[in-house]
Amino acid sequence: MFASLPLTALRTFESASRLLSFKAAAQELSVTPTAVSHQIRSLETWLGVPLFERLPRQVRLTACGERLFHSLHGALLDVAQSVDTLRPQRSAGHLTLSTTPAFAALWLVPRLGRFYAAHPGINLRLDTQCDVVDLQQDASVDLVIRYSLDDYPNLYGLCLFDERFAVYGSPEQVALAHTQVPTLISVRWHNSRLYALGWQAWCEKAGERWLEDAPALREYDEEHYALQAAIAGQGLVLASNILVSESIATGLLVPFQPQISVGGAGYSALCVPGRERHPPVRAFFQWMQEEVRLSGHAL
């Protein structure tokens, strides 16, 4: 059975599917785009079904193509891992994780010591750029932790926790806020109105018009800067219950009543189907599940 498989065409298909580009696949495989196109055509003829939709400036997987890619990518990853185990002096496991600067600084990094202690052979590299990584095209990233309202049907995912919002401040600021209008601290969220709507909803519930009457509305580009400003006593911040958890536990911040939930979105750990079987990725998924359980935020 295996002797009849068009292995070269399958390898070419996996590359073109992951990169969603015949040209990029040609560069990765050190062949010409024409050769890639020929291999894909021969595989489609052999299977008797189309694998790609050819659009004017891009290609897109068909339903059959998606099905083949998911199984083939995982199979090739298993082969690569098996080959790696045969090397006499293989290096320690490597893991590249992409997430937001705020989640890394405020939730993940304070807990990573336990991951390193449990898995000393895994070298973890954090990529904290705000740009969303396309895992199907960027093979250098093993997994991502994303905050979103959306589902990711083409990725293997682990739902970590939902997110809620409340207003927090230093103990001194919260005490003062009961008798005087405080300064509000806000975050400029990229392509999102959730934070502004959260402040509006909270002010309406509080029966205050603080958005208009407050002496200052201080804005920061990142959530961890906003939380640091609140910890320093510069005002009240509308913040995620996830990202504020460490500061609450240490008493640096306390909630200001009334509290309100403005949610619907959540955090998920995601990877390309098949990569969850890669030992460092599997270890990280298992560790994350345990950390979420210990933090009391488990779904």
Side-chain angles (χ1 to χ4, degrees), residues 108-251:
L108 181 60
V109 170
R111 294 168 167 81
L112 274 181
R114 291 193 285 271
F115 177 77
Y116 294 136
H119 304 282
I122 298 178
N123 297 321
L124 175 65
R125 185 180 76 84
L126 277 178
D127 178 355
T128 56
Q129 298 182 31
C130 289
D131 296 336
V132 176
V133 175
D134 188 339
L135 289 174
Q136 301 286 10
Q137 299 193 44
D138 190 346
S140 67
V141 176
D142 294 294
L143 73 158
V144 299
I145 297 177
R146 287 180 181 166
Y147 168 75
S148 176
L149 290 159
D150 303 321
D151 294 325
Y152 297 92
N154 295 325
L155 296 175
Y156 174 88
L158 171 67
C159 293
L160 301 176
F161 26 59
D162 291 329
E163 188 171 45
R164 300 181 302 278
F165 290 85
V167 175
Y168 302 91
S170 67
E172 296 77 13
Q173 277 291 308
V174 168
L176 288 173
H178 289 289
T179 58
Q180 64 186 47
V181 176
T183 296
L184 304 184
I185 300 171
S186 186
V187 178
R188 296 188 200 94
W189 278 19
H190 303 288
N191 302 320
S192 175
R193 295 190 305 153
L194 181 60
Y195 202 84
L197 292 175
W199 260 128
Q200 181 180 2
W202 187 87
C203 288
E204 289 173 356
K205 184 174 181 180
E208 302 284 352
R209 298 184 62 201
W210 284 357
L211 285 178
E212 293 83 7
D213 299 339
L217 178 63
R218 299 190 176 124
E219 290 190 316
Y220 293 89
D221 287 331
E222 297 291 346
E223 290 160 292
H224 51 296
Y225 298 147
L227 289 188
Q228 288 302 315
I231 290 170
Q234 296 174 17
L236 299 183
V237 64
L238 181 66
S240 155
N241 67 312
I242 303 301
L243 300 186
V244 82
S245 59
E246 287 292 303
S247 299
I248 292 291
T250 57

Side-chain angles (χ1 to χ4, degrees), residues 95 97 99 103-120 122 124-126 143-145 156 158-161 246 269 276 278-298:
L95 180 67
L97 166 66
T99 190
F103 185 82
L106 298 170
W107 196 92
L108 181 60
V109 170
R111 294 168 167 81
L112 274 181
R114 291 193 285 271
F115 177 77
Y116 294 136
H119 304 282
I122 298 178
L124 175 65
R125 185 180 76 84
L126 277 178
L143 73 158
V144 299
I145 297 177
Y156 174 88
L158 171 67
C159 293
L160 301 176
F161 26 59
E246 287 292 303
E276 75 276 6
H278 187 43
V281 176
R282 183 172 65 246
F284 191 84
F285 272 122
Q286 292 171 347
W287 175 79
M288 279 293 298
Q289 286 180 301
E290 179 63 15
E291 286 296 320
V292 170
R293 187 189 66 80
L294 291 174
S295 71
H297 295 131

